[in-house]
Amino acid sequence: MKAMEHAHFGRVETRVLDGADVVWEGTARLGDAEVEARLWAGPSGEPDHEELDALAARLSDLPTLDATARTALRAYLREDRSFVDHHIEELEDSETVARLVRDAAGEEVGADPFAAAMRLSGVGLWLSGVSDGPPVILDYVFDPELSDQILAVKLTRDGAVVSVDWES
């Protein structure tokens, strides 16, 4: 049987899965906000208690994970301004863009204030064998009512950044 009880995730069952699917949905606290979180599994094997513990620990310490991810976001945006420039040019109706441009006082909008304006929209936790990628993915958005673009910060089970990828 491909199922187990876990203190944080409850009953995790993968025996009926044909492919990758969400086996747990919940939220995690980040300051005053609640962020949606999903645990993904697949039919590739039994859930591993140690792996579930590590993923639960990442989710339980979301403020630290967010700080690590934001450091990576700032570095990414400093190295490649495309994401910033895209949003500044395309989101003329955004109050956040107007504020960032105003605060830049004639200079280009910097990576640091732009990254600070981004919001964590979701956390994906992936059990081994479901994906070849890193098991923790934090999705950051800028003005989600006006843009569907995401910067996905991908991390190891221990919380080390692997990559930042622009997705939509």
Side-chain angles (χ1 to χ4, degrees):
M1 179 180 208
K2 297 177 183 175
M4 74 173 354
E5 284 292 326
H6 188 266
H8 184 86
F9 298 113
R11 184 169 180 78
V12 177
E13 191 167 329
T14 62
R15 65 182 161 86
V16 296
L17 300 176
D18 293 327
D21 203 356
V22 175
V23 295
W24 175 87
E25 290 183 85
T27 59
R29 285 228 82 27
L30 183 59
D32 294 336
E34 284 196 344
V35 178
E36 291 183 13
R38 291 182 176 92
L39 176 66
W40 292 81
S44 61
E46 302 244 358
D48 177 271
H49 199 75
E50 179 182 324
E51 183 178 24
L52 289 172
D53 287 347
L55 294 175
R58 296 293 74 76
L59 198 55
S60 295
D61 195 16
L62 192 54
T64 300
L65 204 59
D66 178 63
T68 299
R70 286 187 181 278
T71 298
L73 282 174
R74 288 189 298 275
Y76 174 88
L77 295 171
R78 285 183 199 127
E79 185 175 315
D80 181 354
R81 290 193 47 84
S82 300
F83 192 85
V84 175
D85 293 340
H86 168 79
H87 284 83
I88 299 301
E89 293 167 9
E90 297 294 322
L91 301 183
E92 296 171 356
D93 296 336
S94 168
E95 290 179 26
T96 307
V97 166
R99 179 183 52 80
L100 290 172
V101 169
R102 186 176 53 251
D103 291 351
E107 301 293 325
E108 69 182 8
V109 172
D112 292 358
F114 189 89
M118 296 185 76
R119 298 292 164 246
L120 179 60
S121 66
V123 178
L125 306 170
W126 294 78
L127 292 173
S128 295
V130 181
S131 166
D132 291 334
V136 180
I137 302 173
L138 305 181
D139 289 337
Y140 288 87
V141 295
F142 180 87
D143 214 339
E145 292 78 30
L146 300 174
S147 175
D148 65 352
Q149 304 299 302
I150 295 168
L151 284 182
V153 181
K154 299 175 180 180
L155 304 108
T156 65
R157 187 165 79 165
D158 296 328
V161 174
V162 173
S163 68
V164 177
D165 299 305
W166 185 351
E167 301 175 354
S168 64

